Amino acid sequence: MSLLDRRLLITAGKGGVGRSTVSAALALAAAASGRSVLLCEVNTQERLSGLLGTRPVGAAIGRLAPGIDGVVVRPEEAMREYGVMKLRYQALYRAVFENRMVSRFLHFIPSLPELVMLGKILFHVKERRWDLVIVDAPATGHGITFLGVPQAILDTVPPGAMRSEAEWMRDILLDPRQTAVNLVSLPEELPVNETLELAAATRDVLHMSLGRVFLNRFVEPRFSEEERMPALGAHEAPLLEAAFRAARAHGIRSDMSARYRERLEEALRFPLTTLPLLHPSRDFGRSSIDELAELLEREDL
């Protein structure tokens, strides 16, 4: 089954590996194929609008690019939407949920903020207003906790409204025809180790389907071994010496990239896509995301 034929794609990984970058590039690739997309950020400072070069959208769904809408999902707004949806009337929501005693009580219900945020996202999957919902999930540990909330509630809460909500959410998350978790990593020791742990937790703890690994900032080889070999310090011309140093440094990074790609492929045995390190001296913005999206369009996603 094609990755982009699912209804929900979750982008997961260690902080700093480029989850937002991959989410934005995936959204552009999906939109280029004619799909409508909702991009969701979870309880964080908004980044996707900056990457796509548009105004921030905040908690209200807004347009990020042709065919792509975006939203930042936060507990307060998600709780309000959930309350209004269930109670039908804004005034009734204020009377119940904004009552001081009720508000205090709600703060003591474990996992309620995560449940309502996840519920908002999955409601958009369920309503089919968009062909594809892409979630830029919280970093590794928080991401596992966030996605595991429905099952945790089903394991602990007796029958009732909260359990019923958790049930339909769990069913969407565990359906491989609808949902896949994509992992983002870097060709470095710690991110790769954490990616392997996250893959195991996704399969064995969450029981969710893995989609693809995106190995970000991958350095392709540019020079042959012979071109990298000349001894440093053997050249009188400073520019030539600097060129050999740069070639050697690039070779070390490309070797490391290849080694970690091989490690991930051997350990995980599901599709891996490399995304190149782009112009480190240039500001990373919409043009860079477009470049990555074009690469993904050529991939068999």
Side-chain angles (χ1 to χ4, degrees):
M1 183 180 188
S2 166
L3 186 68
L4 297 181
D5 284 340
R6 266 108 168 175
R7 300 272 307 119
L8 173 65
L9 295 179
I10 297 161
T11 311
K14 179 179 169 64
V17 297
R19 295 189 316 277
S20 298
T21 295
V22 171
S23 296
L26 271 173
L28 287 174
S33 71
R35 293 170 173 87
S36 58
V37 182
L38 176 66
L39 261 176
C40 302
E41 293 181 86
V42 180
N43 201 24
T44 187
Q45 183 179 356
E46 186 172 351
R47 292 198 68 237
L48 291 168
S49 57
L51 290 173
L52 292 172
T54 59
R55 284 204 215 152
V57 293
I61 294 172
R63 182 51 56 101
L64 289 173
I68 303 172
D69 292 327
V71 66
V72 180
V73 182
R74 299 189 180 99
E76 297 79 10
E77 292 88 353
M79 178 70 80
R80 187 175 298 109
E81 284 190 43
Y82 175 86
V84 171
M85 184 173 65
K86 290 297 176 184
L87 297 177
R88 307 295 183 191
Y89 299 104
Q90 184 78 34
L92 188 54
Y93 165 81
R94 286 197 295 268
V96 176
F97 281 80
E98 293 181 2
N99 175 283
R100 186 180 300 175
M101 293 301 294
V102 173
S103 180
R104 277 184 176 178
F105 172 73
L106 291 174
H107 281 297
F108 286 101
I109 299 178
S111 303
L112 184 61
E114 289 82 5
L115 185 70
V116 295
M117 288 191 293
L118 191 57
K120 173 179 170 54
I121 293 167
L122 296 181
F123 172 78
H124 293 314
V125 175
K126 201 175 174 184
E127 70 173 341
R128 296 185 173 271
R129 180 174 157 193
W130 294 271
D131 298 318
L132 176 63
V133 176
I134 298 176
V135 180
D136 183 5
T140 307
H142 291 105
I144 292 292
T145 302
F146 179 67
L147 296 171
V149 161
Q151 188 60 55
I153 286 172
L154 290 172
D155 290 340
T156 56
V157 174
M162 195 171 181
R163 187 181 173 90
S164 297
E165 291 296 299
E167 206 158 44
W168 68 261
M169 292 182 204
R170 188 267 322 264
D171 291 345
I172 290 176
L173 292 175
L174 267 55
D175 184 353
R177 296 163 302 177
Q178 294 196 72
T179 303
V181 179
N182 296 313
L183 308 181
V184 183
S185 189
L186 298 178
E188 299 169 11
E189 184 73 22
L190 286 177
V192 166
N193 287 342
E194 196 155 327
T195 299
L196 295 176
E197 292 171 6
L198 181 55
T202 301
R203 282 186 306 228
D204 304 335
V205 178
L206 297 176
H207 305 294
M208 293 177 66
S209 293
L210 290 163
R212 188 172 287 251
V213 179
F214 293 93
L215 188 55
N216 196 22
R217 300 178 209 159
F218 187 86
V219 178
E220 294 282 359
R222 187 179 297 167
F223 306 102
S224 69
E225 199 64 38
E226 291 74 21
E227 290 170 323
R228 291 160 49 184
M229 284 305 291
L232 298 178
H235 308 284
E236 294 180 5
L239 287 179
L240 189 58
E241 177 70 13
F244 278 118
R245 286 183 181 276
R248 192 174 184 186
H250 183 94
I252 290 169
R253 295 191 70 180
S254 66
D255 289 347
M256 189 166 70
S257 289
R259 186 168 68 251
Y260 283 119
R261 174 174 61 188
E262 186 178 351
R263 185 178 168 200
L264 285 169
E265 286 175 334
E266 287 181 356
L268 297 178
R269 299 191 180 280
F270 68 92
L272 184 147
T273 295
T274 58
L275 296 173
L277 176 67
L278 296 178
H279 322 292
S281 61
R282 192 181 78 188
D283 286 342
F284 197 91
R286 176 60 189 264
S287 61
S288 299
I289 300 296
D290 284 336
E291 200 170 330
L292 294 176
E294 287 170 13
L295 289 171
L296 293 179
E297 287 171 44
R298 295 197 290 269
E299 286 276 325
D300 185 20
L301 296 179

